[in-house]
Amino acid sequence: MEFEDRYRQAQGPKYDCLLFDLDDTLYPLSSGISKECGKNIKGWDLDYYMVEKLGIEKDKIVELSNLLYKNYGTTMAGLRAIGYDFDYDEYHSYVHGRLPYDNLKPDPQLRSLLLTLPLRKIVSIFTNADKVHAAKALIKLGLEDCFQGIICFETLNPTHKNTVSDDEDDIEFLGSAVTTTDVPSSPEIFDIIGHFAEPKPGPSATLLPKTPIVCKPQESAIELALKIAKINPQRTLFFDDSVRNIQAGKCVGLHTVLVGTSQRPKGADYALESIHNIKQALPELWETDMKSEVSYSGQVTVETPVTA
């Protein structure tokens, strides 16, 4: 018993890293940001974009978007999978361009919780959103200096530009030496609506084209994020509002916290009604009586404030 006690002390705290989703995790669903984002995806602006730029029939947009989100995690990833090619930044501008960011208010309580964590813990953001959206949201919440790194869309999908901003006034994001190879667009668009309307028997019934976009809830996306940040999943606590993302994180070895409900589904180690309940649910994160050795190598970039 004495040996086991000494061994536990030598191990240090259970978690060295906290990895947070952004939207509906660091701020509540009630903010309306996600609702407005959904409206944008199914709204006139993106309808116009999908009709005029991608040639999609207007009366199929809602059904198509729902199928793509369900099967690929994001509509954007699904569009690329079935054969559409487009500029990622332009697409994001339609989705996030006119969100009600003023609905997000400074959160001094969450800021205090994050800043009082022991200094040896790595605290990072992992979001499917683009860096402009992440920067705007964090600034509105007053949390822009609370994280040691941000893994965003551009980090996992480095296309045509460096994932680390060259603007000294912009947030510095975790860069990646890993490059992704886009699948060449086919002149034929895969009819995913027809695919599910007339299901075929056998293995072909679930055979869908793969997407070149890397994003949650793909397990490969989470594994890449961990590789980029050089963090050990077994010593990392992952917070997300999506059950799918939590379950994918669990499959790659992360400890998981579902945010936004007190009901703990399969794949979640903890469930929090609000991110503000983190200290009550996990008081050990603030324990400093044992020294920890951070289990990753290399440097994690630190962001600086941005005006966006």
Side-chain angles (χ1 to χ4, degrees), residues 100-229:
Y101 289 104
D102 286 342
N103 288 3
L104 299 179
K105 305 300 180 184
D107 191 338
Q109 181 183 354
L110 180 55
R111 178 179 174 84
S112 176
L113 287 170
L114 293 171
L115 293 180
T116 56
L117 282 164
L119 295 178
R120 297 298 297 273
K121 286 190 171 65
I122 310 162
V123 186
S124 299
I125 292 287
F126 178 22
T127 176
N128 280 342
D130 64 308
K131 65 180 183 180
V132 172
H133 170 73
K136 287 182 177 180
L138 289 173
I139 287 172
K140 287 294 185 180
L141 293 168
L143 305 176
E144 67 272 19
D145 58 345
C146 293
F147 300 94
Q148 293 158 288
I150 299 177
I151 301 169
C152 59
F153 178 85
E154 290 90 342
T155 316
L156 301 182
N157 299 276
T159 55
H160 311 302
K161 58 184 176 181
N162 195 316
T163 56
V164 178
S165 173
D166 293 326
D167 186 344
E168 64 181 4
D169 292 326
D170 202 355
I171 284 183
E172 294 182 23
F173 293 84
L174 288 173
S176 172
V178 181
T179 57
T180 56
T181 303
D182 283 358
V183 177
S185 297
S186 167
E188 295 294 328
I189 301 299
F190 179 80
D191 182 11
I192 192 171
I193 294 177
H195 175 84
F196 283 101
E198 299 179 7
K200 299 178 181 179
S204 61
T206 56
L207 188 61
L208 292 173
K210 293 183 179 180
T211 180
I213 287 180
V214 182
C215 64
K216 297 181 289 183
Q218 300 166 16
E219 290 179 25
S220 58
I222 299 174
E223 290 172 336
L224 179 56
L226 298 174
K227 181 179 180 180
I228 290 170

Side-chain angles (χ1 to χ4, degrees), residues 78 109 224 278-279 285:
Q109 181 183 354
L224 179 56
I278 183 174
K279 195 166 186 177
L285 295 179

Side-chain angles (χ1 to χ4, degrees), residues 4-107:
E4 290 180 358
D5 289 341
R6 288 202 304 268
Y7 178 70
R8 290 192 187 97
Q9 288 184 1
Q11 277 189 312
K14 185 176 181 179
Y15 309 113
D16 288 329
C17 178
L18 307 184
L19 193 59
F20 292 90
D21 175 46
L22 172 61
D23 298 308
D24 300 333
T25 298
L26 293 185
Y27 60 83
L29 180 65
S30 60
S31 69
I33 296 291
S34 289
K35 182 178 179 181
E36 290 302 315
C37 189
K39 286 182 180 179
N40 287 351
I41 292 174
K42 299 173 184 177
W44 186 89
D45 281 351
L46 197 56
D47 281 4
Y48 174 83
Y49 179 82
M50 294 172 79
V51 171
E52 297 298 323
K53 296 294 183 77
L54 304 183
I56 299 172
E57 295 177 32
K58 186 174 182 180
D59 60 355
K60 293 184 177 180
I61 288 176
V62 172
E63 183 180 7
L64 178 63
S65 296
N66 289 336
L67 281 173
L68 296 179
Y69 177 80
K70 179 180 179 180
N71 289 280
Y72 291 98
T74 68
T75 302
M76 184 184 195
L79 286 170
R80 287 292 283 116
I82 64 176
Y84 291 100
D85 195 8
F86 47 87
D87 182 270
Y88 295 164
D89 289 340
E90 185 178 40
Y91 181 93
H92 279 131
S93 72
Y94 278 86
V95 174
H96 297 138
R98 293 205 303 266
L99 291 178
Y101 289 104
D102 286 342
N103 288 3
L104 299 179
K105 305 300 180 184
D107 191 338

